[in-house]
Short mmCIF file of all heavy atoms in Angstrom, two decimals:
data_model
loop_
_atom_site.label_atom_id
_atom_site.label_comp_id
_atom_site.label_asym_id
_atom_site.label_seq_id
_atom_site.Cartn_x
_atom_site.Cartn_y
_atom_site.Cartn_z
N CYS A 1 102.98 -26.33 13.49
CA CYS A 1 101.66 -25.71 13.60
C CYS A 1 101.15 -25.26 12.24
O CYS A 1 99.95 -25.40 11.93
CB CYS A 1 101.70 -24.52 14.57
SG CYS A 1 101.97 -25.00 16.29
N PHE A 2 102.02 -24.71 11.41
CA PHE A 2 101.61 -24.25 10.09
C PHE A 2 101.17 -25.43 9.22
O PHE A 2 100.13 -25.36 8.55
CB PHE A 2 102.76 -23.49 9.44
CG PHE A 2 102.42 -22.91 8.09
CD1 PHE A 2 101.65 -21.76 8.00
CD2 PHE A 2 102.85 -23.51 6.93
CE1 PHE A 2 101.32 -21.22 6.76
CE2 PHE A 2 102.53 -22.99 5.69
CZ PHE A 2 101.76 -21.83 5.61
N ILE A 3 101.94 -26.51 9.23
CA ILE A 3 101.59 -27.68 8.41
C ILE A 3 100.27 -28.30 8.88
O ILE A 3 99.39 -28.64 8.07
CB ILE A 3 102.73 -28.71 8.45
CG1 ILE A 3 103.95 -28.17 7.69
CG2 ILE A 3 102.27 -30.04 7.86
CD1 ILE A 3 105.15 -29.08 7.75
N TYR A 4 100.09 -28.43 10.19
CA TYR A 4 98.85 -29.03 10.70
C TYR A 4 97.65 -28.12 10.45
O TYR A 4 96.54 -28.61 10.21
CB TYR A 4 99.00 -29.31 12.20
CG TYR A 4 99.61 -30.65 12.50
CD1 TYR A 4 100.94 -30.92 12.19
CD2 TYR A 4 98.86 -31.67 13.07
CE1 TYR A 4 101.50 -32.16 12.45
CE2 TYR A 4 99.40 -32.91 13.34
CZ TYR A 4 100.74 -33.16 13.02
OH TYR A 4 101.29 -34.39 13.27
N CYS A 5 97.87 -26.81 10.48
CA CYS A 5 96.79 -25.88 10.16
C CYS A 5 96.37 -26.03 8.70
O CYS A 5 95.17 -26.07 8.39
CB CYS A 5 97.23 -24.45 10.46
SG CYS A 5 96.01 -23.18 10.06
N ILE A 6 97.34 -26.11 7.79
CA ILE A 6 97.05 -26.30 6.37
C ILE A 6 96.33 -27.64 6.15
O ILE A 6 95.36 -27.73 5.38
CB ILE A 6 98.34 -26.23 5.54
CG1 ILE A 6 98.96 -24.83 5.63
CG2 ILE A 6 98.07 -26.60 4.08
CD1 ILE A 6 98.09 -23.74 5.06
N LEU A 7 96.79 -28.70 6.82
CA LEU A 7 96.14 -30.00 6.69
C LEU A 7 94.69 -29.96 7.17
O LEU A 7 93.80 -30.58 6.57
CB LEU A 7 96.92 -31.06 7.47
CG LEU A 7 98.20 -31.59 6.84
CD1 LEU A 7 98.87 -32.59 7.77
CD2 LEU A 7 97.91 -32.23 5.49
N PHE A 8 94.44 -29.24 8.24
CA PHE A 8 93.07 -29.10 8.75
C PHE A 8 92.16 -28.51 7.67
O PHE A 8 91.08 -29.03 7.38
CB PHE A 8 93.06 -28.23 10.00
CG PHE A 8 91.69 -27.90 10.52
CD1 PHE A 8 91.05 -28.75 11.41
CD2 PHE A 8 91.03 -26.75 10.10
CE1 PHE A 8 89.79 -28.45 11.88
CE2 PHE A 8 89.76 -26.45 10.56
CZ PHE A 8 89.14 -27.29 11.45
N LEU A 9 92.59 -27.41 7.06
CA LEU A 9 91.78 -26.74 6.04
C LEU A 9 91.61 -27.62 4.81
O LEU A 9 90.51 -27.70 4.23
CB LEU A 9 92.41 -25.40 5.66
CG LEU A 9 92.56 -24.38 6.80
CD1 LEU A 9 93.27 -23.13 6.29
CD2 LEU A 9 91.21 -24.02 7.38
N LYS A 10 92.68 -28.31 4.40
CA LYS A 10 92.61 -29.13 3.19
C LYS A 10 91.74 -30.37 3.41
O LYS A 10 90.94 -30.74 2.53
CB LYS A 10 94.02 -29.55 2.76
CG LYS A 10 94.85 -28.39 2.23
CD LYS A 10 95.92 -28.87 1.28
CE LYS A 10 96.67 -27.72 0.63
NZ LYS A 10 97.38 -28.09 -0.59
N LEU A 11 91.88 -31.03 4.55
CA LEU A 11 91.05 -32.21 4.81
C LEU A 11 89.58 -31.83 4.98
O LEU A 11 88.69 -32.59 4.58
CB LEU A 11 91.56 -32.95 6.04
CG LEU A 11 92.92 -33.64 5.89
CD1 LEU A 11 93.27 -34.41 7.15
CD2 LEU A 11 92.93 -34.57 4.68
N TRP A 12 89.31 -30.66 5.56
CA TRP A 12 87.94 -30.17 5.64
C TRP A 12 87.36 -30.05 4.23
O TRP A 12 86.25 -30.51 3.95
CB TRP A 12 87.94 -28.81 6.35
CG TRP A 12 86.58 -28.17 6.52
CD1 TRP A 12 85.53 -28.20 5.65
CD2 TRP A 12 86.15 -27.39 7.64
NE1 TRP A 12 84.48 -27.47 6.12
CE2 TRP A 12 84.82 -26.96 7.35
CE3 TRP A 12 86.73 -26.98 8.83
CZ2 TRP A 12 84.10 -26.16 8.23
CZ3 TRP A 12 86.00 -26.18 9.70
CH2 TRP A 12 84.71 -25.80 9.40
N SER A 13 88.11 -29.42 3.33
CA SER A 13 87.65 -29.27 1.95
C SER A 13 87.48 -30.62 1.27
O SER A 13 86.49 -30.85 0.56
CB SER A 13 88.65 -28.40 1.16
OG SER A 13 88.27 -28.29 -0.18
N TYR A 14 88.44 -31.52 1.49
CA TYR A 14 88.38 -32.85 0.87
C TYR A 14 87.13 -33.61 1.31
O TYR A 14 86.42 -34.19 0.48
CB TYR A 14 89.64 -33.63 1.26
CG TYR A 14 89.78 -34.98 0.60
CD1 TYR A 14 90.19 -35.10 -0.72
CD2 TYR A 14 89.52 -36.16 1.32
CE1 TYR A 14 90.34 -36.34 -1.32
CE2 TYR A 14 89.66 -37.40 0.73
CZ TYR A 14 90.07 -37.49 -0.60
OH TYR A 14 90.21 -38.71 -1.19
N VAL A 15 86.82 -33.57 2.59
CA VAL A 15 85.65 -34.28 3.10
C VAL A 15 84.37 -33.65 2.57
O VAL A 15 83.45 -34.35 2.12
CB VAL A 15 85.66 -34.28 4.64
CG1 VAL A 15 84.33 -34.79 5.20
CG2 VAL A 15 86.81 -35.12 5.17
N GLN A 16 84.30 -32.32 2.59
CA GLN A 16 83.07 -31.65 2.18
C GLN A 16 82.79 -31.84 0.68
O GLN A 16 81.64 -32.08 0.29
CB GLN A 16 83.16 -30.16 2.50
CG GLN A 16 81.82 -29.45 2.48
CD GLN A 16 81.89 -28.08 3.12
OE1 GLN A 16 82.97 -27.52 3.32
NE2 GLN A 16 80.74 -27.50 3.42
N VAL A 17 83.82 -31.76 -0.14
CA VAL A 17 83.62 -31.95 -1.58
C VAL A 17 83.18 -33.38 -1.86
O VAL A 17 82.29 -33.63 -2.70
CB VAL A 17 84.91 -31.60 -2.35
CG1 VAL A 17 84.80 -32.04 -3.81
CG2 VAL A 17 85.19 -30.12 -2.27
N ASN A 18 83.77 -34.35 -1.19
CA ASN A 18 83.36 -35.75 -1.39
C ASN A 18 81.93 -35.99 -0.91
O ASN A 18 81.23 -36.84 -1.47
CB ASN A 18 84.33 -36.69 -0.67
CG ASN A 18 85.59 -36.94 -1.47
OD1 ASN A 18 85.54 -37.37 -2.62
ND2 ASN A 18 86.74 -36.65 -0.87
N VAL A 19 81.48 -35.25 0.09
CA VAL A 19 80.08 -35.34 0.51
C VAL A 19 79.17 -34.86 -0.63
O VAL A 19 78.16 -35.50 -0.94
CB VAL A 19 79.83 -34.52 1.79
CG1 VAL A 19 78.33 -34.38 2.06
CG2 VAL A 19 80.51 -35.18 2.98
N TRP A 20 79.52 -33.72 -1.25
CA TRP A 20 78.73 -33.23 -2.37
C TRP A 20 78.68 -34.26 -3.50
O TRP A 20 77.62 -34.53 -4.06
CB TRP A 20 79.32 -31.92 -2.89
CG TRP A 20 79.36 -30.81 -1.90
CD1 TRP A 20 78.57 -30.67 -0.78
CD2 TRP A 20 80.22 -29.66 -1.93
NE1 TRP A 20 78.90 -29.52 -0.11
CE2 TRP A 20 79.91 -28.88 -0.79
CE3 TRP A 20 81.22 -29.22 -2.78
CZ2 TRP A 20 80.55 -27.69 -0.50
CZ3 TRP A 20 81.87 -28.03 -2.51
CH2 TRP A 20 81.54 -27.28 -1.38
N CYS A 21 79.85 -34.80 -3.84
CA CYS A 21 79.92 -35.77 -4.94
C CYS A 21 79.18 -37.06 -4.59
O CYS A 21 78.51 -37.66 -5.46
CB CYS A 21 81.38 -36.08 -5.27
SG CYS A 21 82.31 -34.68 -5.91
N ARG A 22 79.27 -37.51 -3.35
CA ARG A 22 78.62 -38.76 -2.94
C ARG A 22 77.10 -38.61 -2.99
O ARG A 22 76.40 -39.53 -3.42
CB ARG A 22 79.09 -39.17 -1.55
CG ARG A 22 78.58 -40.52 -1.09
CD ARG A 22 79.38 -41.07 0.06
NE ARG A 22 79.48 -40.15 1.17
CZ ARG A 22 80.61 -39.49 1.50
NH1 ARG A 22 81.72 -39.68 0.79
NH2 ARG A 22 80.64 -38.68 2.53
N ASN A 23 76.59 -37.47 -2.56
CA ASN A 23 75.14 -37.25 -2.61
C ASN A 23 74.63 -37.26 -4.05
O ASN A 23 73.59 -37.87 -4.34
CB ASN A 23 74.80 -35.92 -1.94
CG ASN A 23 75.03 -35.94 -0.44
OD1 ASN A 23 75.02 -37.00 0.17
ND2 ASN A 23 75.24 -34.77 0.14
N GLN A 24 75.36 -36.62 -4.94
CA GLN A 24 74.94 -36.63 -6.34
C GLN A 24 75.06 -38.02 -6.94
O GLN A 24 74.21 -38.44 -7.74
CB GLN A 24 75.79 -35.62 -7.14
CG GLN A 24 75.31 -35.46 -8.58
CD GLN A 24 76.19 -34.49 -9.35
OE1 GLN A 24 77.35 -34.32 -9.04
NE2 GLN A 24 75.63 -33.88 -10.37
N TYR A 25 76.12 -38.73 -6.56
CA TYR A 25 76.33 -40.09 -7.06
C TYR A 25 75.18 -41.02 -6.63
O TYR A 25 74.67 -41.82 -7.42
CB TYR A 25 77.67 -40.61 -6.56
CG TYR A 25 77.99 -42.04 -6.93
CD1 TYR A 25 78.36 -42.38 -8.24
CD2 TYR A 25 77.92 -43.06 -5.98
CE1 TYR A 25 78.65 -43.69 -8.57
CE2 TYR A 25 78.21 -44.37 -6.31
CZ TYR A 25 78.58 -44.67 -7.60
OH TYR A 25 78.88 -45.97 -7.95
N LYS A 26 74.74 -40.87 -5.38
CA LYS A 26 73.64 -41.70 -4.89
C LYS A 26 72.32 -41.34 -5.58
O LYS A 26 71.52 -42.22 -5.89
CB LYS A 26 73.51 -41.54 -3.38
CG LYS A 26 74.63 -42.18 -2.58
CD LYS A 26 74.42 -41.99 -1.08
CE LYS A 26 75.52 -42.68 -0.30
NZ LYS A 26 75.35 -42.48 1.17
N GLN A 27 72.11 -40.06 -5.81
CA GLN A 27 70.89 -39.65 -6.51
C GLN A 27 70.87 -40.19 -7.93
O GLN A 27 69.83 -40.68 -8.40
CB GLN A 27 70.79 -38.12 -6.52
CG GLN A 27 70.54 -37.50 -5.16
CD GLN A 27 70.57 -35.99 -5.21
OE1 GLN A 27 70.72 -35.40 -6.28
NE2 GLN A 27 70.43 -35.36 -4.05
N ARG A 28 71.99 -40.12 -8.61
CA ARG A 28 72.05 -40.63 -9.98
C ARG A 28 71.85 -42.14 -10.01
O ARG A 28 71.16 -42.68 -10.89
CB ARG A 28 73.39 -40.25 -10.60
CG ARG A 28 73.48 -40.58 -12.09
CD ARG A 28 74.76 -40.03 -12.71
NE ARG A 28 75.93 -40.71 -12.18
CZ ARG A 28 76.86 -40.11 -11.42
NH1 ARG A 28 76.72 -38.83 -11.11
NH2 ARG A 28 77.91 -40.77 -10.99
N ARG A 29 72.41 -42.83 -9.03
CA ARG A 29 72.27 -44.28 -8.99
C ARG A 29 70.84 -44.70 -8.63
O ARG A 29 70.33 -45.70 -9.14
CB ARG A 29 73.25 -44.87 -7.98
CG ARG A 29 73.41 -46.38 -8.11
CD ARG A 29 74.52 -46.87 -7.21
NE ARG A 29 74.30 -46.53 -5.82
CZ ARG A 29 75.09 -46.90 -4.82
NH1 ARG A 29 76.18 -47.61 -5.10
NH2 ARG A 29 74.84 -46.56 -3.59
N SER A 30 70.18 -43.92 -7.77
CA SER A 30 68.79 -44.24 -7.43
C SER A 30 67.87 -44.01 -8.62
O SER A 30 66.92 -44.77 -8.83
CB SER A 30 68.34 -43.38 -6.25
OG SER A 30 68.35 -42.01 -6.59
N ARG A 31 68.15 -42.96 -9.41
CA ARG A 31 67.34 -42.75 -10.60
C ARG A 31 67.55 -43.87 -11.61
O ARG A 31 66.62 -44.31 -12.29
CB ARG A 31 67.70 -41.40 -11.25
CG ARG A 31 67.20 -40.19 -10.47
CD ARG A 31 67.24 -38.95 -11.33
NE ARG A 31 68.58 -38.67 -11.81
CZ ARG A 31 69.44 -37.86 -11.19
NH1 ARG A 31 69.08 -37.26 -10.05
NH2 ARG A 31 70.63 -37.63 -11.68
N SER A 32 68.78 -44.35 -11.71
CA SER A 32 69.07 -45.46 -12.63
C SER A 32 68.39 -46.74 -12.17
O SER A 32 67.95 -47.57 -12.98
CB SER A 32 70.58 -45.69 -12.74
OG SER A 32 71.23 -44.52 -13.22
N GLY A 33 68.26 -46.92 -10.85
CA GLY A 33 67.64 -48.12 -10.32
C GLY A 33 66.15 -48.19 -10.57
O GLY A 33 65.56 -49.27 -10.55
N ARG A 34 65.50 -47.04 -10.83
CA ARG A 34 64.06 -47.04 -11.08
C ARG A 34 63.73 -47.59 -12.46
O ARG A 34 62.61 -48.01 -12.71
CB ARG A 34 63.52 -45.61 -10.95
CG ARG A 34 63.62 -45.03 -9.55
CD ARG A 34 62.81 -43.76 -9.41
NE ARG A 34 63.10 -43.08 -8.16
CZ ARG A 34 63.87 -42.01 -8.06
NH1 ARG A 34 64.44 -41.52 -9.15
NH2 ARG A 34 64.08 -41.45 -6.90
N ARG A 35 64.67 -47.55 -13.38
CA ARG A 35 64.41 -48.06 -14.73
C ARG A 35 64.60 -49.58 -14.72
O ARG A 35 65.71 -50.09 -14.76
CB ARG A 35 65.36 -47.39 -15.73
CG ARG A 35 65.04 -45.91 -15.93
CD ARG A 35 66.03 -45.25 -16.86
NE ARG A 35 67.34 -45.11 -16.23
CZ ARG A 35 68.41 -44.59 -16.86
NH1 ARG A 35 68.32 -44.25 -18.13
NH2 ARG A 35 69.55 -44.48 -16.24
N GLN A 36 63.53 -50.30 -14.61
CA GLN A 36 63.58 -51.74 -14.42
C GLN A 36 64.14 -52.47 -15.63
O GLN A 36 64.64 -53.58 -15.50
CB GLN A 36 62.17 -52.27 -14.13
CG GLN A 36 61.56 -51.67 -12.87
CD GLN A 36 60.16 -52.17 -12.64
OE1 GLN A 36 59.62 -52.93 -13.44
NE2 GLN A 36 59.55 -51.75 -11.54
#
């Protein structure tokens, strides 16, 4: 139970941080795509 509880919290953080990074990555790539 302790290990699965820790994994729950860590995977939640892993997913959420990657969402933040992915959104910024897409914004940066869209700005780069505007420069023809």
Side-chain angles (χ1 to χ4, degrees):
C1 291
F2 183 76
I3 290 176
Y4 273 69
C5 178
I6 295 297
L7 283 178
F8 174 88
L9 300 177
K10 291 205 174 199
L11 291 183
W12 180 323
S13 177
Y14 185 77
V15 170
Q16 196 166 16
V17 170
N18 279 304
V19 168
W20 299 337
C21 295
R22 186 162 53 252
N23 291 337
Q24 186 182 27
Y25 177 74
K26 289 180 178 179
Q27 292 175 3
R28 187 173 67 246
R29 194 173 58 177
S30 64
R31 288 196 300 267
S32 300
R34 295 193 190 103
R35 291 177 289 178
Q36 299 178 358

